[in-house]
Each structure stands twice: as C-alpha cells, then as structure tokens.
Amino acid sequence: MSLKKQFIKTKPVVKVTFSIDAKDASTAAVVGDFNNWNPEEGTLSKLKNGTFKATYDLVKDAIYEFKYLIDGVYVNEPEADSYKWNDFAGSENSVLAV
C-alpha cells in the first residue's frame, strides 16, 4: 500500500495516487471525505501485478479521512499521515494531509 502526492504549482490541487496490493481481490476502491465515501467514485483499477491503483486531484491545504474498500472490507492505509477515531464507524480512519 502506498500514497504518492504530487503538488501542482499552477493549480490549487494535489495529485494523489492511491495504490494497494490485493492480488486475490476482485474489486477495490478508495472512499473518503473527498468523494462522499462513495465506492463508485473511488474505483481503483487492477494492474497485472495485482495492485489496485488510481490518481485523484484533491484540493490542497486540506485534511481528508479515508479508507480502502477491498471486496467489501474496509482497510486502513499503513502509510497514512495519521489516523483519527470515527465514532460512526467505530474504528479509526486513515488521514491524508495535502
């Protein structure tokens, strides 16, 4: 799993690449504050090596909570900037600061 941030000097956005190794999974998505926790808006594409990956433009100078949804199971990003408890979910969410 990894996060890659690419800051764009000419725009108020950061290109964030989400990738997760899930060779045995059939579907994966990233869900969070930036897409209303909607898996259809956070679909990740499966590569030949079994990694799911996608890049999204996120507004910079913001903090987002997110998780991966792999075959219906929520998973945190081990390389997240931090973690925040969510009472609604009853678990921690990954935190991304851009």
Side-chain angles (χ1 to χ4, degrees), residues 11-32:
K11 296 181 181 178
V13 298
V14 178
K15 289 191 175 293
V16 180
T17 301
F18 297 90
S19 61
I20 184 166
D21 184 23
K23 290 177 177 56
D24 297 329
S26 57
T27 63
V30 61
V31 294

Side-chain angles (χ1 to χ4, degrees), residues 64-78:
Y64 301 98
E65 291 184 37
F66 75 98
K67 283 188 181 255
Y68 293 108
L69 183 60
I70 304 167
D71 285 345
V73 177
Y74 289 98
V75 178
N76 273 326
E77 167 62 67

Side-chain angles (χ1 to χ4, degrees), residues 49-96:
N49 66 1
T51 299
F52 285 85
K53 186 175 183 178
T55 302
Y56 296 94
D57 290 347
L58 302 182
V59 176
K60 71 178 184 178
D61 299 324
I63 296 174
Y64 301 98
E65 291 184 37
F66 75 98
K67 283 188 181 255
Y68 293 108
L69 183 60
I70 304 167
D71 285 345
V73 177
Y74 289 98
V75 178
N76 273 326
E77 167 62 67
E79 296 180 21
D81 295 324
S82 63
Y83 300 94
K84 183 176 179 184
W85 181 259
N86 181 294
D87 285 332
F88 179 76
S91 65
E92 286 186 326
N93 289 334
S94 302
V95 174
L96 172 66

